[in-house]
Every structure is written in structure tokens, then in C-alpha cells.
Amino acid sequence: MNQSLLALLAFVPLLLAGILLIGFRMAARIAMPIVFVVTALIALLAWDMTFNRVLASSLQGLILTVAILWIIFGALLLLNTLKHSGGIAAIRNGFSGISLIVAYRPLSLHGCSGALSKVPLDSVRQPLLPPL
């Protein structure tokens, strides 16, 4: 099969999900099984995948989904724990003490989230700052 046709077929599930969810405002619990069936049919018929491979890929996706939901559940649990214990208020009070000088904001915010930040500090455009 032509490479451009295979690329177009790979895009069909994404396009179908967008049309069903945004265009028709269909609920995800109805739209996603339809997209899954279309994707499985494309894999079986157009890409000549075996049924076992499609089933294995589906199970792998299910396991990955459970792992992602576990992370989201932990984040929500942490958020609610911080909210009810007063931790959110303490974090807000800490940020209110940060200098209001605009030039120092990227430095202070980066220092607070430096371990989680994927953007290096050098990539943030800053004016020349005096040494701290």
C-alpha cells in the first residue's frame, strides 16, 4: 500500500475522535469505543495486523491507561490533602512574599519548581540582572 495512504489511515482515528467529540459533542464514553473499533478495523484490514497483535496492543494500552489514572488519582489525593490541611494556604503565603520586581520573578519561580522544570533557565529571556 502507498505510504501516504497509510499515513492518512493512521490519522483517521484522531480525526474521527475530534469530529465525534467536538463536532457532534458526543460523550467520550460513546465516542471512544467507536474510535477504538474503527482503529482496530483499520489495523486488521489495512495494515494486515493479526488479531493477536491487535488484542495485545489493546491490552497494553489498557495497562498504560491504568498507570496514568493511578498517577492522576495520586495527584488529586495530594491536592485535596494539601487543601484540607492548610498546605495550599502556606504555599500561597510563600509566593506572596516573593519580590514583585518583574526581573526576579523567573528566577524565583524557577527556583521553586526547578526539579520539575524541563525548560532550562537559560532559555527564559531575562534582562541582565545584578548578582544576588
Side-chain angles (χ1 to χ4, degrees), residues 70-128:
W70 183 255
I71 292 170
I72 292 172
F73 173 73
L76 291 174
L77 181 66
L78 179 64
L79 175 67
N80 286 327
T81 302
L82 286 173
K83 190 187 305 180
H84 292 294
S85 69
I88 296 289
I91 292 171
R92 283 190 181 143
N93 288 337
F95 274 113
S96 67
I98 293 175
S99 173
L100 295 178
I101 301 172
V102 178
Y104 288 112
R105 270 193 203 149
L107 288 175
S108 58
L109 291 177
H110 183 76
C112 293
S113 65
L116 301 176
S117 176
K118 293 185 179 184
V119 179
L121 187 59
D122 298 339
S123 67
V124 179
R125 287 191 88 183
Q126 298 173 356
L128 292 174

Side-chain angles (χ1 to χ4, degrees), residues 16-89:
L16 181 62
I19 290 171
L20 292 178
L21 291 172
I22 298 169
F24 291 123
R25 294 186 178 266
M26 193 178 287
R29 63 184 167 83
I30 297 170
M32 289 299 110
I34 294 171
V35 173
F36 171 73
V37 169
V38 169
T39 305
L41 287 175
I42 290 172
L44 289 170
L45 300 176
W47 295 328
D48 296 328
M49 291 176 65
T50 63
F51 179 76
N52 287 338
R53 187 169 290 254
V54 172
L55 183 64
S57 297
S58 300
L59 290 176
Q60 183 182 13
L62 185 64
I63 292 169
L64 183 64
T65 301
V66 169
I68 291 171
L69 287 175
W70 183 255
I71 292 170
I72 292 172
F73 173 73
L76 291 174
L77 181 66
L78 179 64
L79 175 67
N80 286 327
T81 302
L82 286 173
K83 190 187 305 180
H84 292 294
S85 69
I88 296 289

